[in-house]
Amino acid sequence: MKRKLVVSAFLLLGMFAFAQNYYEVPYAGTRSRLTKLTTAEEDVFVKENSVRRIYDVPDYDRLQRGEKVHFGFFTEEENELLYEYNIYAELLNIYKEEIPDEKGNFKLTVYRAMYDLKRIITFNLKEGDHTKRKCLGQIIYVPQNEKYVQYEKQVYYGDEIYMHADRTIGVQASNVQFRICGNNIFAFYTRLYFTMHEHGHGEETSYSTSGFTKNAIYRTKIPDIMDKTQVCEVDVDFPLIDKDNPFRYSAQNAYDGDPATSYVEDTENDLFGIRFDFTKHGQEYEFKKTTGFKIINGYASSKDLYMKNNRIKKISFGSQKNPTFYNFQDKILDYQDVNFEYSLYALDIACLEVFKGSKYSDTCLSEVNIKFEDDSLLF
């Protein structure tokens, strides 16, 4: 199950981008009900919501790599960029995504329009060695004023974005999931990036790659779905990448409310860290101090997967100079609570030791939830 990130990661992106699933199913919330529209339903949605089947941008020929020009494709209604760096796109499919609340009632419906960005990019790993990859994109439409309007514009399976000094930044994928808690909607954003580094010059040139993520949690009220308030940023080590679904093991699985999904690390030592930062964003959470957290350890979708993979044994949290240590019990597929004797505006959790899996070396975290000083939970 474990696959380490090495120089060949950029080559693997090519395999990712041509996976058939990318053209059929967008990555939605694990508990959401996803339905592809029929041709007739798609025609109605396109007409009623100003969705274009094909996008194009003028002056294509003059756009060269390295120019500081926003070259994207435009919406018919607002004349805005769908996303920078993409030239031409054709609508593939539209999916209806129904999002349930904690009781399983479907309280929100959004639509995901998937596009083939029609841009083949060649990345020169070294002289004579080229890799070609395709990009897909999507627009998420949410209900407002009896109409569905554009909410999020993303590139799903990106590629080379820009050159900067000795680095090339490559976007592999971006994803958003929704979760409804009471009258709140939480949107979880995860973006997986690969960075390629060039070392040396001429015949001595060598290359290495690294991966990193950007994760955030946003909250809004159901009647005000377009108004987003950032709750916190989440920093976590790079996840294991599944070639058919890059988000299968990413960070948002640790706080999506579904114990059957899991964050799975992809580090050299099978340990990881996760940080929740509440100090930079909305006032509602800025003055709520964390007093504890609770986790569901391991890969808790089944006892079999739980035992086959690593589980967290020992963690540290709190001040780096004076950390607090905690040991978890094994073979518990439910929440275990960790309480503080002090309060924190940000929460850093570091996995220090693990219970070894019987088959895999991956360390997994199924769920984590944060407790505040007024006894409320983040989710």
Side-chain angles (χ1 to χ4, degrees):
M1 190 173 180
K2 175 72 74 178
R3 178 187 54 76
K4 298 300 181 183
L5 186 64
V6 293
V7 174
S8 61
F10 261 91
L11 294 174
L12 288 170
L13 288 180
M15 296 166 57
F16 293 164
F18 287 105
Q20 186 64 29
N21 286 356
Y22 284 16
Y23 289 87
E24 296 176 350
V25 180
Y27 300 128
T30 54
R31 292 183 173 181
S32 299
R33 184 165 61 191
L34 201 66
T35 308
K36 189 168 91 172
L37 300 191
T38 65
T39 301
E41 291 170 334
E42 192 175 275
D43 288 340
V44 172
F45 187 84
V46 166
K47 182 177 180 180
E48 292 182 350
N49 297 281
S50 300
V51 179
R52 292 191 64 180
R53 293 191 178 277
I54 297 178
Y55 294 85
D56 202 354
V57 172
D59 301 322
Y60 178 98
D61 293 336
R62 74 177 180 84
L63 298 175
Q64 303 294 325
R65 190 174 77 172
E67 287 187 4
K68 294 182 178 180
V69 178
H70 293 303
F71 44 100
F73 55 92
F74 298 80
T75 69
E76 187 173 41
E77 183 178 18
E78 301 175 3
N79 199 40
E80 291 183 352
L81 289 174
L82 173 70
Y83 195 85
E84 298 174 10
Y85 320 115
N86 306 306
I87 300 297
Y88 171 85
E90 181 179 359
L91 181 66
L92 292 173
N93 300 113
I94 301 177
Y95 295 83
K96 179 172 73 173
E97 180 184 350
E98 298 169 283
I99 300 151
D101 60 14
E102 294 174 304
K103 297 181 180 179
N105 300 314
F106 293 102
K107 295 186 66 175
L108 176 68
T109 298
V110 301
Y111 288 84
R112 294 178 180 250
M114 300 294 294
Y115 291 86
D116 182 350
L117 300 185
K118 299 291 186 183
R119 186 183 183 204
I120 302 293
I121 301 176
T122 299
F123 183 82
N124 190 3
L125 294 174
K126 58 183 179 181
E127 187 176 356
D129 183 7
H130 298 272
T131 300
K132 293 184 178 180
R133 296 170 290 272
K134 272 194 173 183
C135 299
L136 294 188
Q138 73 164 351
I139 303 176
I140 299 178
Y141 291 85
V142 299
Q144 183 171 334
N145 299 326
E146 299 182 351
K147 183 179 180 181
Y148 281 88
V149 296
Q150 295 180 12
Y151 176 68
E152 289 298 329
K153 309 164 187 180
Q154 304 175 6
V155 170
Y156 253 111
Y157 322 112
D159 193 353
E160 180 182 344
I161 299 303
Y162 60 86
M163 295 291 293
H164 178 71
D166 61 346
R167 298 181 301 147
T168 296
I169 308 299
V171 176
Q172 179 199 336
S174 337
N175 188 31
V176 58
Q177 292 184 6
F178 299 97
R179 181 183 175 195
I180 298 175
C181 296
N183 197 37
N184 292 322
I185 299 172
F186 287 90
F188 308 143
Y189 293 83
T190 295
R191 291 181 178 175
L192 306 177
Y193 292 79
F194 283 109
T195 304
M196 180 172 148
H197 308 269
E198 180 178 338
H199 312 280
H201 302 281
E203 295 182 357
E204 302 298 323
T205 302
S206 62
Y207 300 87
S208 64
T209 60
S210 58
F212 60 97
T213 67
K214 290 186 178 181
N215 311 288
I217 303 173
Y218 289 84
R219 180 190 61 84
T220 185
K221 298 291 184 182
I222 290 180
D224 307 309
I225 189 170
M226 298 300 287
D227 299 324
K228 297 185 297 183
T229 301
Q230 187 162 0
V231 175
C232 65
E233 292 180 348
V234 184
D235 292 323
V236 65
D237 284 293
F238 202 77
L240 185 70
I241 299 297
D242 180 279
K243 70 181 182 66
D244 294 323
N245 182 344
F247 295 104
R248 188 183 300 278
Y249 307 117
S250 60
Q252 64 221 41
N253 294 326
Y255 39 86
D256 64 356
D258 187 355
T261 65
S262 179
Y263 161 72
V264 182
E265 52 72 32
D266 189 12
T267 63
E268 293 294 333
N269 59 6
D270 301 322
L271 305 177
F272 68 91
I274 182 169
R275 173 182 173 86
F276 295 87
D277 189 347
F278 308 98
T279 60
K280 302 176 183 178
H281 312 293
Q283 290 185 352
E284 180 171 348
Y285 284 90
E286 184 175 357
F287 301 107
K288 279 188 175 183
K289 297 181 181 179
T290 57
T291 58
F293 60 94
K294 57 182 186 176
I295 76 165
I296 297 180
N297 203 357
Y299 207 128
S301 62
S302 68
K303 290 183 178 180
D304 180 59
L305 282 175
Y306 181 90
M307 297 305 297
K308 284 181 176 178
N309 290 278
N310 291 353
R311 291 84 63 193
I312 303 169
K313 180 178 182 180
K314 182 179 180 179
I315 61 168
S316 67
F317 59 91
S319 169
Q320 292 183 350
K321 294 183 178 179
N322 188 26
T324 299
F325 300 93
Y326 186 87
N327 291 293
F328 289 100
Q329 299 181 54
D330 198 13
K331 301 179 181 179
I332 297 178
L333 278 69
D334 203 347
Y335 280 106
Q336 299 186 57
D337 288 83
V338 181
N339 298 310
F340 304 152
E341 295 181 359
Y342 49 86
S343 298
L344 301 169
Y345 286 106
L347 177 62
D348 290 273
I349 304 171
C351 173
L352 304 178
E353 297 180 22
V354 299
F355 297 104
K356 289 292 185 179
S358 61
K359 185 174 181 179
Y360 305 116
S361 63
D362 307 293
T363 304
C364 308
L365 173 62
S366 287
E367 286 298 311
V368 60
N369 208 335
I370 312 301
K371 299 187 289 186
F372 296 103
E373 59 185 346
D374 61 358
D375 294 326
S376 65
L377 295 171
L378 176 58
F379 305 119

